[in-house]
Amino acid sequence: MSMIFFACVVRVRDGLPLSASTDFYHTQDFLEWRRRLKNLALRLAQYPGRGSAEGCDFSIHFSSFGDVACMAICSCQCPAAMAFCFLETLWWEFTASYDTTCIGLASRPYTFLEFDSVIQKVKWHFNYVSSSQMESSLEKIQEELKLQPPAVLTLEDTDVANGVMNGHTPMHLEPAPNFRMEPVTALGILSLILNIMCAALNLIRGVHLAEHSLQVAHEEIGNILAFLVPFVACIFQCYLYLFYSPARTMKVVLMLLFICLGNMYLHGLRNLWQILFHIGVAFLSSYQILTRQLQEKQSDCGV
């Protein structure tokens, strides 16, 4: 008999759902508890690492550590130790699969939806494998719960009414963006490769010139900056193409200006064709950045 019905992984700081199990329970009571779980996810940062909210038929359990929390809707007959053991296993599986940088940069709901297969596997294991086979793990969790009992939440703690949570001061909850950039094009990939090549050339020449100036004279600082500033600008152009950034047009124009001025300053150290190549790549990259538009992403992922 199933005792764990639904599980999800969320980001603690803003409640952004990172992954969830696809489920086929559509009773009114279950959907109501799904709503309660989503409301609670928005406020996990206010609670300790473990907590539970129990009702007549269902209960919600959550376990968080760092910036990742695992949550589950279980049957009321499901022992707390089993629920928290399941959540801890799920947490270890998720953090082993995705690093903190990916988790922190996630900007849309269910970014790691493919983790659903792992959730289903772990959920099946806890639902259908005999508890005797998990005895040691359950005993460990039981001891931990005795020493540090989970927070007990009331049903009111999982409700949000008229934008005010339990009569407390309303929190401003900014929804995560539900869009992403359009797929990269072949010309866009070419511009990235050329930009990285220009950045590498600027870095190599700049570092070499810096080493020489430290040994001979300090009069070449202008030339060193003329190599290193375009190097930084080229790298930032790659970032602007790959990721969305506010005030993108202004940043693109600024990076293009730095690259053009730096190469003009280097006239004499570079011939005309080299200068034109670097400036041409900068213009191509700028065009690719400005023409890569945002793509609407629906937040309904069927979970």
Side-chain angles (χ1 to χ4, degrees), residues 265-285:
Y265 187 88
L266 291 172
H267 182 65
L269 291 177
R270 278 180 172 158
N271 60 43
L272 181 61
W273 291 110
Q274 290 173 328
I275 293 173
L276 289 176
F277 173 75
H278 281 266
I279 292 177
V281 170
F283 271 98
L284 174 63
S285 297

Side-chain angles (χ1 to χ4, degrees), residues 65-84:
F65 185 79
D67 201 28
V68 174
C70 295
M71 307 180 73
I73 298 176
C74 304
S75 164
C76 281
Q77 284 73 43
C78 180
M82 179 179 175
F84 286 112

Side-chain angles (χ1 to χ4, degrees), residues 101-208:
T101 302
C102 293
I103 295 168
L105 291 176
S107 60
R108 58 188 178 88
Y110 308 109
T111 300
F112 311 109
L113 189 58
E114 69 278 1
F115 188 71
D116 169 45
S117 60
V118 178
I119 297 177
Q120 298 289 7
K121 177 182 175 182
V122 177
K123 191 171 70 166
W124 184 92
H125 179 78
F126 277 82
N127 278 334
Y128 299 108
V129 173
S130 64
S131 58
S132 59
Q133 297 181 35
M134 301 182 287
E135 188 173 349
S136 60
S137 298
L138 291 175
E139 287 179 355
K140 174 178 173 291
I141 294 295
Q142 284 173 341
E143 289 298 320
E144 292 179 2
L145 295 180
K146 288 179 182 178
L147 295 173
Q148 192 172 3
V152 179
L153 282 65
T154 64
L155 296 186
E156 292 179 354
D157 292 321
T158 62
D159 279 330
V160 180
N162 298 322
V164 179
M165 299 178 183
N166 307 323
H168 295 99
T169 305
M171 296 174 62
H172 175 66
L173 299 170
E174 183 177 345
N178 63 344
F179 50 74
R180 59 179 176 179
M181 304 295 289
E182 290 179 345
V184 296
T185 62
L187 191 58
I189 294 174
L190 176 63
S191 72
L192 283 174
I193 294 172
L194 293 175
N195 223 341
I196 293 171
M197 183 188 303
C198 290
L201 291 172
N202 285 323
L203 180 62
I204 292 169
R205 291 291 302 276
V207 171
H208 178 75

